[in-house]
Amino acid sequence: MTLRKTLIVWLILTAAHLSAQDRLRPITVNLIAEPRTVQILPGDSTSVWSYTGSSEGGGRQSLGFLPNSHLGPTISAMQGQQIKIKLTNQLDQPTVTHWHGLDVPADMDGHPAYAFPTGESYSYSFTISNRAGTYWYHPHPDMATADQVQMGLAGFFIVHDRNELALNLPSGAADLPLCIQDRTFDSANQFVFNPSMMHGFFGSLVCVNGQPNYVQNVGSRVHRLRLLNGSTSRIYKLAFSDGTPMVIIGNDGGLLATPNTKPYLMLSPGERAEVWADFRGKPLNSEIILQSLSFSGAGMNQGAALDVMTFKIVQQVTDNRSLPANLSSIPAYNLWEAVNASNPKSYPITQANGHYVINGASFSMEYVANNEVARCGTLEVISVSNPQGMMHIAHPIHFHGRQFQILDRTVVPSSVANWNTVKDGYNDSGWKDTFMLMPGETVRILVRHGKNPGLFNYHCHNLVHEDMGMMRNFRLNP
Ligand SMILES: [Cu+2]
């Protein structure tokens, strides 16, 4: 066979194989939320709650498993692929699952109204419209989200698309989903969850994919790190111990337009970032620590310097890849295009009845205020402000079902000194579904509302705050 014929046959076979078989065949996943016992620390085993799962169809790699982890299986899918997920509740309390960052119909989104009891199942079914990115899933029942996530219920949901695959970014063992969570263990190796109502929960050990003192063995090549802050309350200021800057290629909604190099990366609960970690030239057996640096003014217990995990170079390999100059296409929204450009929706963070609230009142299952209604498909500007003052702390704010753009950040003069300890790590370009808000700071976002009508949540992703009522409904009308 001539080279030309060989190439044509190869192209036909590859296209048929990827598009028809692996890429767009519907995926069926069975997930069970259940108690398990796992070995995390030496000695006694630890009782956790886990998503366990199995899959049918959708190619070989629709479900992956993080090594030695009690976190949920990693669901992988292509943009445009249909997925059915049957979730069975074997916990001793109601649960419901939210597909964080994905644009799905209201009854598929994990609104607390859809929580279902022990022994029952809920069938999720949706087509993945999101672009390639690092999304995740976790429980979302009213007043019990923090408990359930803290017990171990969380997993990655990774979406691929053709543009992203064509970039040939590091894959396989060089594509590393890393979920950062802090935990406290008692003397019998059981989880301790003792949050403060105002500040949240701060564990004494940082875990990655469920394990403390996490060491990731790597070759001396480029890795794609998919960092997820799955912690209940703790904010991280991530940096490499050898001073290598953070080369950020993605955030909540997938790849940025172009790589963004920062001295450190702020990651508040719920946020994700993808980092181009270049370990080429590192000597064999050398170690690079992913640290969280100190910062100030975000609240009691926030901002302590600590080590998150270690990368250990265990193999010398040749890697000739180069960082793409252009990663993806992101059309910029403009303020003047917003239907409410001259009258932004304004959601201040305040306190009521001894806890934090957003837009003036605590969560109530069905209630929607006048300024929490919009029409599907419209572009709006929304302003979220965190007044400076006594007991004002940083909050991560998440809007369900949509990816938006950060229009701007402003900060009052008295908060600038603290703000300066975090501002260079905000990863604000591209698509976001969660953003961090320091005391004294106001963030304006431009959001194109989705096509799915119904009730969606927006809330603080400090899960203790969310459970205390720092959550609201937003209604999309057709
Ligand atoms: Cu909060």
Side-chain angles (χ1 to χ4, degrees):
M1 207 184 284
T2 63
L3 182 63
R4 191 181 140 85
K5 276 185 185 165
T6 309
L7 184 65
I8 290 169
V9 169
W10 179 82
L11 281 171
I12 290 168
L13 287 175
T14 304
H17 177 70
L18 289 178
S19 63
Q21 291 181 13
D22 272 345
R23 289 191 178 180
L24 293 177
R25 207 161 69 182
I27 303 172
T28 302
V29 174
N30 288 307
L31 283 183
I32 303 170
E34 61 183 355
R36 280 172 66 200
T37 303
V38 295
Q39 196 74 43
I40 299 176
L41 298 173
D44 294 336
S45 54
T46 304
S47 297
V48 303
W49 291 350
S50 246
Y51 288 113
T52 55
S54 58
S55 71
E56 305 156 27
R60 294 175 300 278
Q61 293 175 340
S62 57
L63 219 55
F65 298 87
L66 300 168
N68 297 321
S69 179
H70 60 270
L71 298 190
T74 300
I75 300 170
S76 295
M78 279 294 290
Q79 185 180 36
Q81 197 159 20
Q82 203 195 340
I83 187 161
K84 292 179 191 297
I85 304 166
K86 182 182 172 192
L87 174 66
T88 301
N89 179 5
Q90 298 291 5
L91 308 174
D92 63 359
Q93 56 186 262
T95 193
V96 64
T97 293
H98 171 53
W99 316 99
H100 186 128
L102 297 183
D103 178 5
V104 300
D107 58 351
M108 298 288 126
D109 191 54
H111 189 287
Y114 293 95
F116 58 99
T118 307
E120 293 192 7
S121 298
Y122 194 94
S123 291
Y124 297 92
S125 175
F126 49 88
T127 300
I128 293 158
S129 61
N130 286 69
R131 68 208 289 271
T134 305
Y135 306 95
W136 66 300
Y137 62 97
H138 60 78
H140 211 266
D142 192 22
M143 298 189 281
T145 293
D147 291 69
Q148 294 189 8
V149 174
Q150 199 63 41
M151 281 299 288
L153 292 168
F156 282 94
F157 197 125
I158 290 174
V159 176
H160 295 288
D161 66 31
R162 280 154 208 261
N163 293 337
E164 174 235 6
L165 291 178
L167 289 173
N168 195 25
L169 293 168
S171 60
D175 180 342
L176 296 172
L178 299 165
C179 173
I180 307 169
Q181 297 171 304
D182 54 342
R183 306 259 194 244
T184 297
F185 294 83
D186 68 14
S187 57
N189 289 351
Q190 303 309 304
F191 289 150
V192 176
F193 184 52
N194 53 351
S196 130
M197 215 166 73
M198 296 310 277
H199 299 279
F201 171 78
F202 295 85
S204 56
L205 281 176
V206 177
C207 295
V208 170
N209 296 345
Q211 300 167 58
N213 308 310
Y214 193 78
V215 178
Q216 177 72 53
N217 290 336
V218 293
S220 58
R221 53 179 297 187
V222 181
H223 286 71
R224 179 183 190 175
L225 309 183
R226 298 175 184 268
L227 302 172
L228 157 64
N229 185 348
S231 304
T232 292
S233 308
R234 192 182 290 278
I235 298 165
Y236 302 91
K237 178 179 177 176
L238 298 172
F240 290 118
S241 57
D242 65 352
T244 304
M246 303 296 280
V247 179
I248 300 162
I249 58 171
N251 60 7
D252 301 340
L255 294 172
L256 308 180
T258 56
N260 203 347
T261 299
K262 292 178 172 293
Y264 57 86
L265 164 71
M266 296 308 298
L267 208 62
S268 69
E271 287 187 292
R272 289 87 68 209
E274 295 188 24
V275 171
W276 174 273
D278 190 347
F279 299 130
R280 288 177 292 196
K282 306 287 182 196
L284 199 62
N285 295 320
S286 61
E287 294 184 344
I288 302 110
I289 299 169
L290 181 65
Q291 301 173 312
S292 186
L293 309 177
S294 67
F295 55 98
S296 60
M300 200 199 291
N301 298 319
Q302 297 280 20
L306 42 85
D307 290 348
V308 172
M309 64 171 288
T310 301
F311 294 97
K312 183 171 186 187
I313 311 294
V314 295
Q315 192 188 11
Q316 294 283 15
V317 289
T318 305
D319 181 0
N320 295 319
R321 70 178 66 245
S322 52
L323 176 63
N326 295 297
L327 296 163
S328 74
S329 167
I330 298 181
Y333 292 159
N334 295 296
L335 178 59
W336 57 265
E337 295 173 298
V339 295
N340 64 338
S342 59
N343 182 30
K345 285 190 159 81
S346 176
Y347 303 147
I349 293 168
T350 53
Q351 288 170 48
N353 308 320
H355 63 91
Y356 297 104
V357 295
I358 186 165
N359 200 24
S362 298
F363 179 66
S364 136
M365 199 63 88
E366 309 280 338
Y367 183 73
V368 182
N370 288 335
N371 68 345
E372 293 171 325
V373 181
R375 282 193 53 204
C376 287
T378 51
L379 183 75
E380 288 200 314
V381 55
I382 296 176
S383 170
V384 185
S385 56
N386 186 13
Q388 192 261 358
M390 279 279 288
M391 293 298 286
H392 281 96
I393 67 173
H395 302 269
I397 304 299
H398 171 48
F399 286 73
H400 282 212
R402 50 201 51 93
Q403 297 289 333
F404 47 79
Q405 294 182 4
I406 307 274
L407 173 61
D408 52 22
R409 292 176 179 270
T410 49
V411 63
V412 298
S414 55
S415 291
V416 166
N418 286 328
W419 190 72
N420 281 341
T421 69
V422 304
K423 71 172 168 54
D424 293 335
Y426 284 141
N427 183 21
D428 281 346
S429 62
W431 297 108
K432 295 289 291 171
D433 58 50
T434 307
F435 59 87
M436 172 177 158
L437 194 55
M438 281 286 278
E441 190 171 31
T442 296
V443 170
R444 290 194 301 169
I445 64 171
L446 286 166
V447 52
R448 170 82 63 192
H449 295 299
K451 62 184 185 309
N452 297 307
L455 272 196
F456 295 88
N457 297 123
Y458 67 99
H459 60 88
C460 181
H461 221 285
N462 180 328
L463 301 178
V464 175
H465 292 175
E466 175 184 341
D467 284 345
M468 292 294 300
M470 194 177 179
M471 173 158 72
R472 299 285 304 172
N473 283 315
F474 195 96
R475 192 177 73 230
L476 284 181
N477 292 330

